[in-house]
mmCIF file of all heavy atoms in Angstrom:
data_model
loop_
_atom_site.group_PDB
_atom_site.id
_atom_site.type_symbol
_atom_site.label_atom_id
_atom_site.label_comp_id
_atom_site.label_asym_id
_atom_site.label_seq_id
_atom_site.Cartn_x
_atom_site.Cartn_y
_atom_site.Cartn_z
ATOM 1 N N THR A 92 83.024 -22.501 193.563
ATOM 2 C CA THR A 92 81.856 -22.227 192.725
ATOM 3 C C THR A 92 81.101 -20.988 193.203
ATOM 4 O O THR A 92 80.592 -20.199 192.404
ATOM 5 C CB THR A 92 80.913 -23.431 192.739
ATOM 6 O OG1 THR A 92 81.648 -24.591 192.341
ATOM 7 C CG2 THR A 92 79.737 -23.227 191.798
ATOM 8 N N LEU A 93 81.004 -20.820 194.535
ATOM 9 C CA LEU A 93 80.142 -19.774 195.090
ATOM 10 C C LEU A 93 80.914 -18.637 195.775
ATOM 11 O O LEU A 93 80.284 -17.709 196.271
ATOM 12 C CB LEU A 93 79.159 -20.391 196.080
ATOM 13 C CG LEU A 93 78.183 -21.423 195.483
ATOM 14 C CD1 LEU A 93 77.329 -22.023 196.583
ATOM 15 C CD2 LEU A 93 77.311 -20.794 194.412
ATOM 16 N N SER A 94 82.229 -18.718 195.845
ATOM 17 C CA SER A 94 82.941 -17.657 196.592
ATOM 18 C C SER A 94 84.381 -17.543 196.162
ATOM 19 O O SER A 94 84.942 -18.423 195.499
ATOM 20 C CB SER A 94 82.872 -17.959 198.100
ATOM 21 O OG SER A 94 83.638 -19.122 198.393
ATOM 22 N N MET A 95 84.987 -16.435 196.545
ATOM 23 C CA MET A 95 86.427 -16.233 196.448
ATOM 24 C C MET A 95 86.913 -15.864 197.841
ATOM 25 O O MET A 95 86.175 -15.279 198.636
ATOM 26 C CB MET A 95 86.758 -15.114 195.462
ATOM 27 C CG MET A 95 86.393 -15.383 194.042
ATOM 28 S SD MET A 95 87.168 -14.204 192.885
ATOM 29 C CE MET A 95 86.508 -12.659 193.493
ATOM 30 N N SER A 96 88.147 -16.209 198.127
ATOM 31 C CA SER A 96 88.686 -15.887 199.451
ATOM 32 C C SER A 96 90.179 -15.660 199.372
ATOM 33 O O SER A 96 90.830 -15.991 198.382
ATOM 34 C CB SER A 96 88.376 -17.009 200.452
ATOM 35 O OG SER A 96 89.033 -18.205 200.071
ATOM 36 N N PHE A 97 90.704 -15.075 200.412
ATOM 37 C CA PHE A 97 92.162 -14.943 200.545
ATOM 38 C C PHE A 97 92.535 -15.094 202.008
ATOM 39 O O PHE A 97 91.715 -14.886 202.909
ATOM 40 C CB PHE A 97 92.676 -13.608 199.968
ATOM 41 C CG PHE A 97 92.097 -12.387 200.638
ATOM 42 C CD1 PHE A 97 92.743 -11.783 201.702
ATOM 43 C CD2 PHE A 97 90.904 -11.832 200.203
ATOM 44 C CE1 PHE A 97 92.214 -10.640 202.314
ATOM 45 C CE2 PHE A 97 90.371 -10.702 200.788
ATOM 46 C CZ PHE A 97 91.026 -10.111 201.858
ATOM 47 N N THR A 98 93.771 -15.484 202.248
ATOM 48 C CA THR A 98 94.255 -15.728 203.599
ATOM 49 C C THR A 98 95.128 -14.551 204.039
ATOM 50 O O THR A 98 95.887 -14.013 203.256
ATOM 51 C CB THR A 98 95.085 -17.025 203.642
ATOM 52 O OG1 THR A 98 94.260 -18.109 203.181
ATOM 53 C CG2 THR A 98 95.548 -17.324 205.058
ATOM 54 N N VAL A 99 94.990 -14.187 205.295
ATOM 55 C CA VAL A 99 95.855 -13.168 205.875
ATOM 56 C C VAL A 99 96.560 -13.755 207.100
ATOM 57 O O VAL A 99 96.020 -14.613 207.780
ATOM 58 C CB VAL A 99 95.065 -11.896 206.299
ATOM 59 C CG1 VAL A 99 94.423 -11.247 205.094
ATOM 60 C CG2 VAL A 99 94.022 -12.216 207.346
ATOM 61 N N ALA A 100 97.771 -13.293 207.323
ATOM 62 C CA ALA A 100 98.500 -13.628 208.551
ATOM 63 C C ALA A 100 98.515 -12.395 209.425
ATOM 64 O O ALA A 100 98.974 -11.324 208.991
ATOM 65 C CB ALA A 100 99.919 -14.083 208.231
ATOM 66 N N ALA A 101 97.987 -12.500 210.640
ATOM 67 C CA ALA A 101 97.857 -11.341 211.536
ATOM 68 C C ALA A 101 98.712 -11.553 212.783
ATOM 69 O O ALA A 101 98.610 -12.579 213.448
ATOM 70 C CB ALA A 101 96.394 -11.147 211.924
ATOM 71 N N ARG A 102 99.551 -10.573 213.071
ATOM 72 C CA ARG A 102 100.417 -10.618 214.252
ATOM 73 C C ARG A 102 100.278 -9.315 215.018
ATOM 74 O O ARG A 102 100.389 -8.231 214.444
ATOM 75 C CB ARG A 102 101.871 -10.798 213.803
ATOM 76 C CG ARG A 102 102.892 -10.789 214.952
ATOM 77 C CD ARG A 102 104.282 -11.160 214.411
ATOM 78 N NE ARG A 102 104.736 -10.210 213.426
ATOM 79 C CZ ARG A 102 105.480 -9.123 213.720
ATOM 80 N NH1 ARG A 102 105.817 -8.860 214.974
ATOM 81 N NH2 ARG A 102 105.890 -8.317 212.764
ATOM 82 N N PRO A 103 99.966 -9.387 216.327
ATOM 83 C CA PRO A 103 99.822 -8.151 217.111
ATOM 84 C C PRO A 103 101.067 -7.274 217.012
ATOM 85 O O PRO A 103 102.189 -7.772 217.109
ATOM 86 C CB PRO A 103 99.601 -8.641 218.544
ATOM 87 C CG PRO A 103 99.071 -10.028 218.384
ATOM 88 C CD PRO A 103 99.749 -10.579 217.163
ATOM 89 N N MET A 104 100.876 -5.971 216.787
ATOM 90 C CA MET A 104 102.018 -5.048 216.759
ATOM 91 C C MET A 104 102.581 -4.926 218.155
ATOM 92 O O MET A 104 101.846 -4.692 219.118
ATOM 93 C CB MET A 104 101.579 -3.673 216.250
ATOM 94 C CG MET A 104 101.300 -3.614 214.771
ATOM 95 S SD MET A 104 100.912 -1.927 214.209
ATOM 96 C CE MET A 104 102.509 -1.107 214.508
ATOM 97 N N ARG A 105 103.884 -5.070 218.273
ATOM 98 C CA ARG A 105 104.552 -4.962 219.559
ATOM 99 C C ARG A 105 105.704 -3.979 219.464
ATOM 100 O O ARG A 105 106.170 -3.656 218.375
ATOM 101 C CB ARG A 105 105.115 -6.327 220.013
ATOM 102 C CG ARG A 105 104.057 -7.424 220.150
ATOM 103 C CD ARG A 105 103.049 -7.121 221.262
ATOM 104 N NE ARG A 105 103.678 -6.806 222.497
ATOM 105 C CZ ARG A 105 104.051 -7.740 223.407
ATOM 106 N NH1 ARG A 105 103.864 -9.029 223.156
ATOM 107 N NH2 ARG A 105 104.587 -7.382 224.568
ATOM 108 N N ALA A 106 106.159 -3.505 220.602
ATOM 109 C CA ALA A 106 107.341 -2.641 220.616
ATOM 110 C C ALA A 106 108.539 -3.410 220.068
ATOM 111 O O ALA A 106 108.726 -4.582 220.394
ATOM 112 C CB ALA A 106 107.606 -2.168 222.037
ATOM 113 N N VAL A 107 109.315 -2.754 219.219
ATOM 114 C CA VAL A 107 110.482 -3.411 218.634
ATOM 115 C C VAL A 107 111.482 -3.765 219.726
ATOM 116 O O VAL A 107 111.776 -2.949 220.613
ATOM 117 C CB VAL A 107 111.141 -2.509 217.582
ATOM 118 C CG1 VAL A 107 112.462 -3.111 217.101
ATOM 119 C CG2 VAL A 107 110.200 -2.318 216.403
ATOM 120 N N GLY A 108 112.015 -4.990 219.665
ATOM 121 C CA GLY A 108 112.966 -5.446 220.674
ATOM 122 C C GLY A 108 112.369 -6.436 221.651
ATOM 123 O O GLY A 108 113.070 -6.980 222.481
ATOM 124 N N GLY A 109 111.075 -6.691 221.545
ATOM 125 C CA GLY A 109 110.428 -7.617 222.451
ATOM 126 C C GLY A 109 110.732 -9.056 222.109
ATOM 127 O O GLY A 109 111.295 -9.379 221.061
ATOM 128 N N PHE A 110 110.296 -9.970 222.979
ATOM 129 C CA PHE A 110 110.610 -11.382 222.788
ATOM 130 C C PHE A 110 109.737 -12.054 221.738
ATOM 131 O O PHE A 110 109.955 -13.196 221.410
ATOM 132 C CB PHE A 110 110.464 -12.118 224.129
ATOM 133 C CG PHE A 110 111.442 -11.658 225.162
ATOM 134 C CD1 PHE A 110 111.030 -10.902 226.252
ATOM 135 C CD2 PHE A 110 112.798 -11.946 225.040
ATOM 136 C CE1 PHE A 110 111.951 -10.467 227.208
ATOM 137 C CE2 PHE A 110 113.715 -11.519 225.981
ATOM 138 C CZ PHE A 110 113.284 -10.768 227.068
ATOM 139 N N VAL A 111 108.706 -11.358 221.241
ATOM 140 C CA VAL A 111 107.831 -11.959 220.233
ATOM 141 C C VAL A 111 108.293 -11.633 218.822
ATOM 142 O O VAL A 111 107.596 -11.924 217.861
ATOM 143 C CB VAL A 111 106.362 -11.465 220.402
ATOM 144 C CG1 VAL A 111 105.815 -11.935 221.724
ATOM 145 C CG2 VAL A 111 106.279 -9.948 220.268
ATOM 146 N N GLU A 112 109.477 -11.031 218.690
ATOM 147 C CA GLU A 112 109.995 -10.717 217.361
ATOM 148 C C GLU A 112 110.086 -12.008 216.529
ATOM 149 O O GLU A 112 110.547 -13.044 217.005
ATOM 150 C CB GLU A 112 111.398 -10.099 217.464
ATOM 151 C CG GLU A 112 111.388 -8.700 218.036
ATOM 152 C CD GLU A 112 110.819 -7.693 217.063
ATOM 153 O OE1 GLU A 112 111.103 -7.795 215.872
ATOM 154 O OE2 GLU A 112 110.078 -6.831 217.506
ATOM 155 N N GLY A 113 109.632 -11.958 215.279
ATOM 156 C CA GLY A 113 109.721 -13.101 214.403
ATOM 157 C C GLY A 113 108.502 -14.000 214.444
ATOM 158 O O GLY A 113 108.393 -14.921 213.647
ATOM 159 N N TYR A 114 107.588 -13.777 215.381
ATOM 160 C CA TYR A 114 106.381 -14.579 215.440
ATOM 161 C C TYR A 114 105.555 -14.362 214.186
ATOM 162 O O TYR A 114 105.282 -13.240 213.799
ATOM 163 C CB TYR A 114 105.576 -14.178 216.684
ATOM 164 C CG TYR A 114 104.167 -14.717 216.735
ATOM 165 C CD1 TYR A 114 103.925 -16.080 216.682
ATOM 166 C CD2 TYR A 114 103.084 -13.853 216.843
ATOM 167 C CE1 TYR A 114 102.640 -16.572 216.721
ATOM 168 C CE2 TYR A 114 101.795 -14.344 216.880
ATOM 169 C CZ TYR A 114 101.574 -15.707 216.837
ATOM 170 O OH TYR A 114 100.303 -16.178 216.882
ATOM 171 N N GLY A 115 105.207 -15.463 213.510
ATOM 172 C CA GLY A 115 104.574 -15.345 212.207
ATOM 173 C C GLY A 115 103.128 -14.977 212.205
ATOM 174 O O GLY A 115 102.571 -14.614 211.192
ATOM 175 N N GLY A 116 102.472 -15.076 213.348
ATOM 176 C CA GLY A 116 101.072 -14.688 213.437
ATOM 177 C C GLY A 116 100.118 -15.836 213.098
ATOM 178 O O GLY A 116 100.541 -16.914 212.698
ATOM 179 N N VAL A 117 98.849 -15.576 213.261
ATOM 180 C CA VAL A 117 97.799 -16.565 213.029
ATOM 181 C C VAL A 117 97.134 -16.279 211.674
ATOM 182 O O VAL A 117 96.876 -15.145 211.334
ATOM 183 C CB VAL A 117 96.737 -16.510 214.144
ATOM 184 C CG1 VAL A 117 95.609 -17.481 213.881
ATOM 185 C CG2 VAL A 117 97.393 -16.793 215.499
ATOM 186 N N GLU A 118 96.865 -17.340 210.918
ATOM 187 C CA GLU A 118 96.234 -17.157 209.614
ATOM 188 C C GLU A 118 94.716 -17.079 209.761
ATOM 189 O O GLU A 118 94.118 -17.823 210.516
ATOM 190 C CB GLU A 118 96.612 -18.292 208.662
ATOM 191 C CG GLU A 118 98.048 -18.208 208.159
ATOM 192 C CD GLU A 118 98.277 -19.079 206.935
ATOM 193 O OE1 GLU A 118 97.438 -19.960 206.671
ATOM 194 O OE2 GLU A 118 99.281 -18.866 206.246
ATOM 195 N N ARG A 119 94.120 -16.156 209.026
ATOM 196 C CA ARG A 119 92.680 -15.989 208.988
ATOM 197 C C ARG A 119 92.233 -15.931 207.531
ATOM 198 O O ARG A 119 93.028 -15.645 206.631
ATOM 199 C CB ARG A 119 92.248 -14.674 209.681
ATOM 200 C CG ARG A 119 92.826 -14.521 211.098
ATOM 201 C CD ARG A 119 92.078 -15.377 212.112
ATOM 202 N NE ARG A 119 92.590 -15.139 213.444
ATOM 203 C CZ ARG A 119 92.079 -15.690 214.542
ATOM 204 N NH1 ARG A 119 91.047 -16.519 214.424
ATOM 205 N NH2 ARG A 119 92.579 -15.439 215.717
ATOM 206 N N VAL A 120 90.969 -16.191 207.291
ATOM 207 C CA VAL A 120 90.436 -16.206 205.922
ATOM 208 C C VAL A 120 89.342 -15.157 205.788
ATOM 209 O O VAL A 120 88.447 -15.045 206.636
ATOM 210 C CB VAL A 120 89.865 -17.597 205.554
ATOM 211 C CG1 VAL A 120 89.238 -17.566 204.169
ATOM 212 C CG2 VAL A 120 90.971 -18.646 205.609
ATOM 213 N N VAL A 121 89.413 -14.360 204.748
ATOM 214 C CA VAL A 121 88.387 -13.393 204.397
ATOM 215 C C VAL A 121 87.716 -13.877 203.105
ATOM 216 O O VAL A 121 88.400 -14.189 202.136
ATOM 217 C CB VAL A 121 88.989 -11.984 204.193
ATOM 218 C CG1 VAL A 121 87.890 -10.992 203.802
ATOM 219 C CG2 VAL A 121 89.689 -11.523 205.460
ATOM 220 N N THR A 122 86.372 -13.950 203.115
ATOM 221 C CA THR A 122 85.640 -14.517 201.999
ATOM 222 C C THR A 122 84.679 -13.503 201.380
ATOM 223 O O THR A 122 84.061 -12.715 202.078
ATOM 224 C CB THR A 122 84.822 -15.744 202.479
ATOM 225 O OG1 THR A 122 85.707 -16.710 203.059
ATOM 226 C CG2 THR A 122 84.082 -16.400 201.321
ATOM 227 N N GLN A 123 84.583 -13.574 200.065
ATOM 228 C CA GLN A 123 83.625 -12.770 199.314
ATOM 229 C C GLN A 123 82.728 -13.713 198.531
ATOM 230 O O GLN A 123 83.220 -14.620 197.831
ATOM 231 C CB GLN A 123 84.380 -11.843 198.351
ATOM 232 C CG GLN A 123 83.495 -11.052 197.395
ATOM 233 C CD GLN A 123 84.307 -10.174 196.472
ATOM 234 O OE1 GLN A 123 84.908 -9.182 196.870
ATOM 235 N NE2 GLN A 123 84.365 -10.552 195.188
ATOM 236 N N ASP A 124 81.402 -13.570 198.649
ATOM 237 C CA ASP A 124 80.517 -14.517 197.988
ATOM 238 C C ASP A 124 80.364 -14.205 196.494
ATOM 239 O O ASP A 124 80.984 -13.274 195.967
ATOM 240 C CB ASP A 124 79.126 -14.561 198.695
ATOM 241 C CG ASP A 124 78.340 -13.276 198.539
ATOM 242 O OD1 ASP A 124 78.638 -12.465 197.617
ATOM 243 O OD2 ASP A 124 77.412 -13.057 199.348
ATOM 244 N N PHE A 125 79.547 -15.017 195.806
ATOM 245 C CA PHE A 125 79.393 -14.915 194.360
ATOM 246 C C PHE A 125 78.934 -13.538 193.919
ATOM 247 O O PHE A 125 79.270 -13.067 192.833
ATOM 248 C CB PHE A 125 78.376 -15.971 193.887
ATOM 249 C CG PHE A 125 78.247 -16.067 192.398
ATOM 250 C CD1 PHE A 125 79.146 -16.793 191.641
ATOM 251 C CD2 PHE A 125 77.210 -15.402 191.743
ATOM 252 C CE1 PHE A 125 79.017 -16.886 190.264
ATOM 253 C CE2 PHE A 125 77.076 -15.477 190.367
ATOM 254 C CZ PHE A 125 77.985 -16.219 189.616
ATOM 255 N N PHE A 126 78.168 -12.868 194.804
ATOM 256 C CA PHE A 126 77.618 -11.574 194.456
ATOM 257 C C PHE A 126 78.498 -10.404 194.932
ATOM 258 O O PHE A 126 78.119 -9.257 194.810
ATOM 259 C CB PHE A 126 76.208 -11.417 195.059
ATOM 260 C CG PHE A 126 75.247 -12.463 194.565
ATOM 261 C CD1 PHE A 126 74.920 -13.550 195.365
ATOM 262 C CD2 PHE A 126 74.673 -12.374 193.317
ATOM 263 C CE1 PHE A 126 74.055 -14.529 194.917
ATOM 264 C CE2 PHE A 126 73.798 -13.344 192.856
ATOM 265 C CZ PHE A 126 73.485 -14.433 193.658
ATOM 266 N N GLY A 127 79.669 -10.741 195.482
ATOM 267 C CA GLY A 127 80.613 -9.702 195.859
ATOM 268 C C GLY A 127 80.479 -9.204 197.273
ATOM 269 O O GLY A 127 81.132 -8.226 197.661
ATOM 270 N N HIS A 128 79.663 -9.873 198.102
ATOM 271 C CA HIS A 128 79.486 -9.427 199.490
ATOM 272 C C HIS A 128 80.504 -10.144 200.392
ATOM 273 O O HIS A 128 80.687 -11.360 200.297
ATOM 274 C CB HIS A 128 78.066 -9.738 199.983
ATOM 275 C CG HIS A 128 77.005 -9.022 199.176
ATOM 276 N ND1 HIS A 128 75.824 -9.622 198.781
ATOM 277 C CD2 HIS A 128 76.968 -7.767 198.676
ATOM 278 C CE1 HIS A 128 75.117 -8.770 198.091
ATOM 279 N NE2 HIS A 128 75.785 -7.636 198.006
#
Side-chain angles (χ1 to χ4, degrees):
T92 305
L93 298 176
S94 67
M95 295 193 301
S96 64
F97 59 93
T98 303
V99 298
R102 177 173 61 91
M104 287 184 66
R105 302 295 308 273
V107 172
F110 296 108
V111 295
E112 289 289 320
Y114 168 57
V117 177
E118 287 197 344
R119 308 283 184 177
V120 176
V121 179
T122 302
Q123 174 181 290
D124 68 19
F125 186 83
F126 300 101
H128 299 138

